[in-house]
Amino acid sequence: MNVHDLDAATLSEQLAAGETTSVDITQASLDRIDAVDGAVHAFLHVDAEGALAAAADVDARRAAGENLATLAGVPVAIKDVLATVGQPTTCGSRMLQGWVPPYDATVVARLRAAGLPILGKTNMDEFAMGSSTEHSAYGPTRNPWDTGRIPGGSGGGSAAAVAAFEAPLAIGTDTGGSIRQPGAMTGTVGVKPTYGGVSRYGLVAMASSLDQAGPVTRSVLDAALLHEVIAGHDPRDSTSLTAPVPPVVEAARRADVAGLRIGIVTELGGEGFEPEVRRRFDEAVELLSGAGAEVVEISCPSFVHGIAAYYLVMPSEVSSNLAKFDAMRYGLRVEPDGVPHPSAEQVMAASRDAGFGDEVKRRIILGTYALSSGYYDAYYGSAQKVRTLIARDFAAAFEQVDVLVSPTAPTTAWPLGDKLDDPLAMYLADVATIPANLAGIPGLSLPAGLADSLPVGFQVLAPALADERLYTVGAALEQLLEERWGGPFAAQAPDLQEVAR
Ligand code: GLN
């Protein structure tokens, strides 16, 4: 087995046992990036020098007998929406091309403090708006399972980097599904923690009441290990929770669902869900019930309005958050053509026209409209009421069951370009992931098998602050499925070395 094939938990054991070094592991990831990223385009920026220096530092500290964090020495890739000192942070946009932040996001600072070398920054839909990574200003990322297809989005770069074995670990962000839906498309594990569980300081805001960073990995235990590193209170984020980090690692190791009550959400699995996706989901549920879980079906009637409410709340916050890219304070600055003494407004208009892509503009316009006087109550106000109804549906459901489950996405990965001209079709890809963001609860996606040789995702949802339940169920299902497959899901992935040649 190649070093780059190993999961983070195994690498960390080998490091602790002195069987390998962080420099060797990090070099293996960098070599793999060299070999396959031309075909995948998961990375916008690779920091070989910085990653190797961090690796050498952690190796030296280990050799000196220092007590290190579990994941110390295991490299990680970071979605290009999190601020990183010394590395560009573009958010997949021309607006921030070449911007190198003067500070680290808290998530990044915690990774560095725990000794994880940072390989580089991963591709994404512009400002995290999209479900395919085709809205990146720097070209799309390709799905390692079929490079003619999308890897999901907006965090397609992080998901593809992990699926293509370019990185054992990555960080994503999830506003309406951008960790979980790419997880489903690429056969990776992705977790959106409870809102406020992971600091948003230094995460370039898309929709502040929905955004949450989380782990992207190839195993449930790896996700728990990474979750533990990045979670916990941060005084720099006013929405950061003070509650202790849920016992996620312990839960992933326990992996026992006997007696656990699992609810299948009626509204997330019917019409619009591909039959093969539904079949993999049903088979997974059967495995869980065979392992002693009690399975019931539960209706959450307000979920049918989830996408509509999201596409009012999210663009409203987008229009306000992206107002700061005004060519005056920072970001791209373009002088309008043929205007000798342009006004501030003219420079702003020219810069925003050149700096933002179509999808971002669409959402700014939609949000500005929804918030405008006379329409505010009808649109934004109504959407907020629907948001409350969705939260109440979850609360009622969690009185009857411990976790809810659904397919993560209605389809498998579609061919590049397929939904680019039809924004509404693209928005439907997130029908199953959006309710969790609107309610602030945690969600996990893990691979449930293949449909026509493409990965299918299985989603687990838990009450706020009960993130550990995601890991109990996820790890139990992963074990049962691996027994059936005779090994980890990623072992079924096509050989990218062939593709890259
Ligand atoms: N695909 C969704 C959207 O386009 C979710 C994006 C996200 O979670 N960042 O808004």
Side-chain angles (χ1 to χ4, degrees):
M1 200 171 214
N2 293 310
V3 177
H4 64 244
D5 288 337
L6 299 172
D7 62 28
T10 308
L11 291 169
S12 121
E13 279 166 23
Q14 294 188 350
L15 283 164
E19 293 163 10
T20 186
T21 65
S22 179
V23 167
D24 281 349
I25 296 171
T26 304
Q27 190 58 56
S29 279
L30 292 167
D31 291 347
R32 178 70 178 172
I33 293 170
D34 269 348
V36 304
D37 207 53
V40 178
H41 192 224
F43 283 88
L44 291 178
H45 180 80
V46 177
D47 181 19
E49 209 178 301
L52 287 170
D57 176 63
V58 82
D59 284 340
R61 287 196 279 139
R62 195 184 298 277
E66 206 177 297
N67 200 2
L68 299 170
T70 310
L71 288 180
V74 182
V76 62
I78 300 196
K79 189 177 179 183
D80 206 25
V81 69
L82 287 152
T84 42
V85 169
Q87 288 195 56
T89 298
T90 69
C91 298
S93 181
R94 268 186 302 272
M95 185 56 89
L96 286 176
Q97 189 158 22
W99 181 58
V100 181
Y103 68 103
D104 275 333
T106 295
V107 165
V108 174
R110 288 189 179 173
L111 292 168
R112 289 196 211 271
L116 284 80
I118 294 173
L119 294 167
K121 307 297 290 288
T122 59
N123 199 12
M124 56 185 282
D125 285 298
E126 186 173 9
F127 287 105
M129 301 178 204
S131 304
S132 68
T133 315
E134 294 165 295
H135 294 306
S136 167
Y138 306 101
T141 295
R142 290 162 182 275
N143 192 321
W145 290 79
D146 175 349
T147 52
R149 292 176 186 265
I150 59 102
S154 63
S158 282
V162 170
F165 302 95
E166 294 173 78
L169 302 169
I171 299 292
T173 62
D174 191 311
T175 302
S178 287
I179 291 176
R180 290 163 288 155
Q181 184 261 4
M185 300 295 119
T186 60
T188 49
V189 176
V191 177
K192 180 199 95 70
T194 296
Y195 181 78
V198 174
S199 170
R200 289 184 299 107
Y201 179 77
L203 192 182
V204 180
M206 172 182 167
S208 316
S209 77
L210 303 162
D211 298 342
Q212 189 62 196
V216 175
T217 63
R218 287 191 302 270
S219 84
V220 174
L221 176 59
D222 282 3
L225 291 166
L226 191 54
H227 189 143
E228 212 173 42
V229 174
I230 60 173
H233 181 64
D234 178 13
R236 287 173 160 158
D237 170 2
S238 61
T239 58
S240 170
L241 298 166
T242 50
V245 179
V248 291
V249 173
E250 194 191 310
R253 292 196 198 277
R254 187 166 359 102
D256 178 12
V257 290
L260 202 90
R261 297 166 305 165
I262 297 179
I264 300 174
V265 184
T266 315
E267 286 75 12
L268 306 179
E271 211 190 320
F273 284 72
E274 282 173 359
E276 276 297 287
V277 167
R278 182 67 209 207
R279 233 163 270 145
R280 292 298 90 74
F281 172 74
D282 290 339
E283 290 162 8
V285 170
E286 243 167 71
L287 286 176
L288 288 168
S289 104
E294 270 173 52
V295 181
V296 294
E297 192 167 316
I298 291 207
S299 173
C300 294
S302 304
F303 285 17
V304 297
H305 305 300
I307 291 189
Y310 174 80
Y311 275 94
L312 287 167
V313 172
M314 174 273 296
S316 297
E317 296 189 28
V318 160
S319 79
S320 136
N321 275 327
L322 270 61
K324 62 179 166 281
F325 299 106
D326 59 4
M328 308 292 149
R329 286 169 282 189
Y330 48 83
L332 183 77
R333 183 185 175 97
V334 172
E335 305 284 331
D337 268 351
V339 185
H341 302 291
S343 66
E345 280 76 12
Q346 286 169 321
V347 173
M348 201 184 296
S351 303
R352 286 167 71 85
D353 184 31
F356 290 141
D358 287 350
E359 184 62 25
V360 170
K361 285 177 186 156
R362 183 153 41 231
R363 296 190 191 199
I364 291 174
I365 292 168
L366 191 63
T368 307
Y369 181 77
L371 290 178
S372 57
S373 95
Y375 295 103
Y376 181 93
D377 286 334
Y379 295 118
Y380 185 75
S382 306
Q384 288 290 26
K385 285 180 191 154
V386 172
R387 190 172 186 178
T388 302
L389 294 177
I390 286 172
R392 282 190 197 153
D393 276 1
F394 272 123
F398 287 131
E399 278 183 13
Q400 298 173 61
V401 294
D402 301 304
V403 295
L404 291 168
V405 294
S406 77
T408 309
T411 70
T412 53
W414 57 88
L416 285 156
D418 237 27
K419 300 190 182 178
L420 215 43
D421 298 328
D422 188 353
L424 294 182
M426 181 91 82
Y427 298 168
L428 287 176
D430 301 311
V431 64
T433 47
I434 280 171
N437 300 80
L438 288 171
I441 65 157
L444 171 150
S445 178
L446 80 158
L450 296 171
D452 288 329
S453 310
L454 294 169
V456 171
F458 184 97
Q459 178 176 236
V460 189
L461 302 168
L465 287 172
D467 303 44
E468 73 279 4
R469 291 186 203 169
L470 306 176
Y471 291 96
T472 304
V473 177
L477 179 57
E478 180 180 62
Q479 253 176 37
L480 295 162
L481 286 165
E482 285 183 359
E483 278 164 30
R484 174 169 289 187
W485 298 325
F489 181 72
Q492 303 169 52
D495 187 356
L496 265 178
Q497 217 84 43
E498 292 303 315
V499 178
R501 250 176 230 136

